[in-house]
Amino acid sequence: MEQLRFPIGRFDAKRPVSAADRPGLIEQIASAPAAFRSAVSGLDEAQLDTPYREGGWTLRQLVHHVPDSHMNAFIRFKWTLTEDVPQIKTYDEAAWATLPDVKNTPIETSLALLENVHTRWVHLLRGLDDADWARRLAHPEWGQLTLDTLLAMYAWHGRHHTAHVTALRERNGW
């Protein structure tokens, strides 16, 4: 079950991120929309409504979750760059995944949204200096995090959900 839930492993928030790591992590953010689009390409409606694991979200829910999450991440970066250790608000991801827009919005809308959010986000990320990366936000569950850690987390997040899709496709022969 652990492998199905975390196909690329769990994120390690304690792993240090160096300046040398940043370009690769930013590239992962830049390439995530295309990788995710490719992972869901050609899936039919029944396949999109298949959970990636027992008790997990459907692929359709994942397609809408990733841009929801990454829009929040983009805003968290902007808050952290413009405020002194902002206290960020979390959101109920599971509840968001059950809202009517998830069932009724074509996945293309969320795939395009993900591409556009990432375009803006990558422009922001590539313009930051070392002092910016050291800035912190206060997360209600994880405590204070630097932007370096947040970068690594969302680079992982894109790969994590892409792997949910590709692993299910492989298991089901799609």
Side-chain angles (χ1 to χ4, degrees):
M1 184 59 111
E2 180 78 4
Q3 179 63 30
L4 293 178
R5 189 167 177 209
F6 297 101
I8 64 168
R10 290 180 182 263
F11 176 71
D12 180 6
K14 299 201 183 313
R15 182 181 167 270
V17 178
S18 71
D21 296 327
R22 288 183 203 132
L25 293 169
I26 292 169
E27 182 51 37
Q28 289 177 37
I29 298 285
S31 64
F36 197 64
R37 179 182 286 279
S38 178
V40 300
S41 178
L43 293 174
D44 63 31
E45 295 299 307
Q47 291 166 328
L48 287 168
D49 290 328
T50 303
Y52 71 89
R53 66 174 172 86
E54 187 177 327
W57 287 343
T58 66
L59 299 187
R60 182 183 313 280
Q61 288 172 308
L62 285 178
V63 169
H64 296 300
H65 162 72
V66 175
D68 284 348
S69 175
H70 291 199
M71 285 188 297
N72 274 284
F74 178 58
I75 297 302
R76 289 171 178 176
F77 266 82
K78 292 189 116 185
W79 279 332
T80 304
L81 291 165
T82 60
E83 299 176 20
D84 188 30
V85 192
Q87 174 73 39
I88 61 145
K89 182 178 183 330
T90 60
Y91 65 102
D92 186 340
E93 296 173 350
W96 282 36
T98 65
L99 292 173
D101 63 313
V102 171
K103 182 172 174 72
N104 300 322
T105 303
I107 65 164
E108 177 56 35
T109 302
S110 284
L111 293 170
L113 179 58
L114 184 66
E115 290 166 352
N116 287 303
V117 166
H118 277 240
T119 297
R120 285 277 309 275
W121 195 8
V122 169
H123 281 288
L124 175 68
L125 298 174
R126 289 183 175 149
L128 301 183
D129 61 27
D130 287 340
D132 292 329
W133 289 106
R135 293 182 66 91
R136 296 180 174 276
L137 59 80
H139 190 286
E141 297 167 7
W142 302 325
Q144 288 195 13
L145 303 173
T146 65
L147 287 184
D148 270 327
T149 300
L150 213 59
L151 174 67
M153 179 186 307
Y154 284 99
W156 170 87
H157 188 257
R159 294 188 334 273
H160 167 72
H161 285 308
T162 298
H164 282 143
V165 177
T166 57
L168 178 63
R169 290 185 80 146
E170 186 175 314
R171 286 192 312 275
N172 287 357
W174 298 343

